[in-house]
mmCIF file of all heavy atoms in Angstrom:
data_model
loop_
_atom_site.group_PDB
_atom_site.id
_atom_site.type_symbol
_atom_site.label_atom_id
_atom_site.label_comp_id
_atom_site.label_asym_id
_atom_site.label_seq_id
_atom_site.Cartn_x
_atom_site.Cartn_y
_atom_site.Cartn_z
ATOM 1 N N GLY M 103 107.714 76.701 107.836
ATOM 2 C CA GLY M 103 108.564 76.556 108.909
ATOM 3 C C GLY M 103 107.905 77.051 110.154
ATOM 4 O O GLY M 103 106.771 77.057 110.239
ATOM 5 N N ALA M 104 108.733 77.430 111.112
ATOM 6 C CA ALA M 104 108.214 77.698 112.548
ATOM 7 C C ALA M 104 107.294 79.023 112.508
ATOM 8 O O ALA M 104 106.396 79.128 113.299
ATOM 9 C CB ALA M 104 109.329 77.864 113.481
ATOM 10 N N PHE M 105 107.531 79.733 111.497
ATOM 11 C CA PHE M 105 106.744 81.122 111.500
ATOM 12 C C PHE M 105 105.864 81.092 110.188
ATOM 13 O O PHE M 105 106.115 80.230 109.286
ATOM 14 C CB PHE M 105 107.650 82.300 111.450
ATOM 15 C CG PHE M 105 108.325 82.553 112.721
ATOM 16 C CD1 PHE M 105 109.600 82.023 112.923
ATOM 17 C CD2 PHE M 105 107.736 83.317 113.761
ATOM 18 C CE1 PHE M 105 110.234 82.298 114.166
ATOM 19 C CE2 PHE M 105 108.359 83.586 114.965
ATOM 20 C CZ PHE M 105 109.669 83.078 115.157
ATOM 21 N N ASP M 106 104.837 81.875 110.168
ATOM 22 C CA ASP M 106 103.866 81.837 109.123
ATOM 23 C C ASP M 106 104.085 82.962 108.219
ATOM 24 O O ASP M 106 103.779 82.880 107.032
ATOM 25 C CB ASP M 106 102.410 81.916 109.678
ATOM 26 C CG ASP M 106 102.136 80.785 110.621
ATOM 27 O OD1 ASP M 106 102.270 79.591 110.052
ATOM 28 O OD2 ASP M 106 101.910 80.986 111.739
ATOM 29 N N LEU M 107 104.470 84.159 108.691
ATOM 30 C CA LEU M 107 104.653 85.372 107.858
ATOM 31 C C LEU M 107 106.036 85.912 108.048
ATOM 32 O O LEU M 107 106.669 85.811 109.154
ATOM 33 C CB LEU M 107 103.710 86.360 108.297
ATOM 34 C CG LEU M 107 102.170 86.027 108.394
ATOM 35 C CD1 LEU M 107 101.379 87.220 108.886
ATOM 36 C CD2 LEU M 107 101.719 85.601 107.101
ATOM 37 N N LEU M 108 106.632 86.588 106.963
ATOM 38 C CA LEU M 108 107.861 87.379 107.013
ATOM 39 C C LEU M 108 107.491 88.710 106.503
ATOM 40 O O LEU M 108 106.933 88.826 105.487
ATOM 41 C CB LEU M 108 108.959 86.659 106.306
ATOM 42 C CG LEU M 108 110.218 87.389 106.323
ATOM 43 C CD1 LEU M 108 111.147 86.658 107.333
ATOM 44 C CD2 LEU M 108 110.934 87.430 104.890
ATOM 45 N N LEU M 109 107.967 89.702 107.305
ATOM 46 C CA LEU M 109 107.683 91.073 106.959
ATOM 47 C C LEU M 109 108.935 91.847 106.957
ATOM 48 O O LEU M 109 109.889 91.591 107.774
ATOM 49 C CB LEU M 109 106.798 91.859 108.019
ATOM 50 C CG LEU M 109 105.499 91.083 108.403
ATOM 51 C CD1 LEU M 109 104.869 91.882 109.610
ATOM 52 C CD2 LEU M 109 104.578 91.046 107.260
ATOM 53 N N LEU M 110 109.070 92.826 105.991
ATOM 54 C CA LEU M 110 110.109 93.780 106.048
ATOM 55 C C LEU M 110 109.421 95.087 106.400
ATOM 56 O O LEU M 110 108.635 95.540 105.532
ATOM 57 C CB LEU M 110 110.952 93.928 104.753
ATOM 58 C CG LEU M 110 111.965 95.035 104.765
ATOM 59 C CD1 LEU M 110 113.078 94.890 105.751
ATOM 60 C CD2 LEU M 110 112.655 95.126 103.401
ATOM 61 N N VAL M 111 109.641 95.561 107.574
ATOM 62 C CA VAL M 111 108.923 96.861 108.028
ATOM 63 C C VAL M 111 109.965 98.022 107.998
ATOM 64 O O VAL M 111 111.081 97.859 108.621
ATOM 65 C CB VAL M 111 108.402 96.625 109.428
ATOM 66 C CG1 VAL M 111 107.750 97.939 109.919
ATOM 67 C CG2 VAL M 111 107.361 95.492 109.423
ATOM 68 N N THR M 112 109.652 99.006 107.343
ATOM 69 C CA THR M 112 110.479 100.274 107.287
ATOM 70 C C THR M 112 109.720 101.344 107.869
ATOM 71 O O THR M 112 108.593 101.635 107.388
ATOM 72 C CB THR M 112 111.022 100.519 105.868
ATOM 73 O OG1 THR M 112 111.821 99.364 105.481
ATOM 74 C CG2 THR M 112 111.955 101.691 105.871
ATOM 75 N N ILE M 113 110.308 102.116 108.743
ATOM 76 C CA ILE M 113 109.555 103.069 109.604
ATOM 77 C C ILE M 113 110.457 104.124 110.038
ATOM 78 O O ILE M 113 111.671 103.958 109.989
ATOM 79 C CB ILE M 113 108.794 102.326 110.730
ATOM 80 C CG1 ILE M 113 107.635 103.090 111.209
ATOM 81 C CG2 ILE M 113 109.743 101.907 111.813
ATOM 82 C CD1 ILE M 113 106.473 102.188 111.892
#
Side-chain angles (χ1 to χ4, degrees):
F105 291 92
D106 301 299
L107 309 176
L108 180 100
L109 311 173
L110 175 61
V111 177
T112 300
I113 203 154

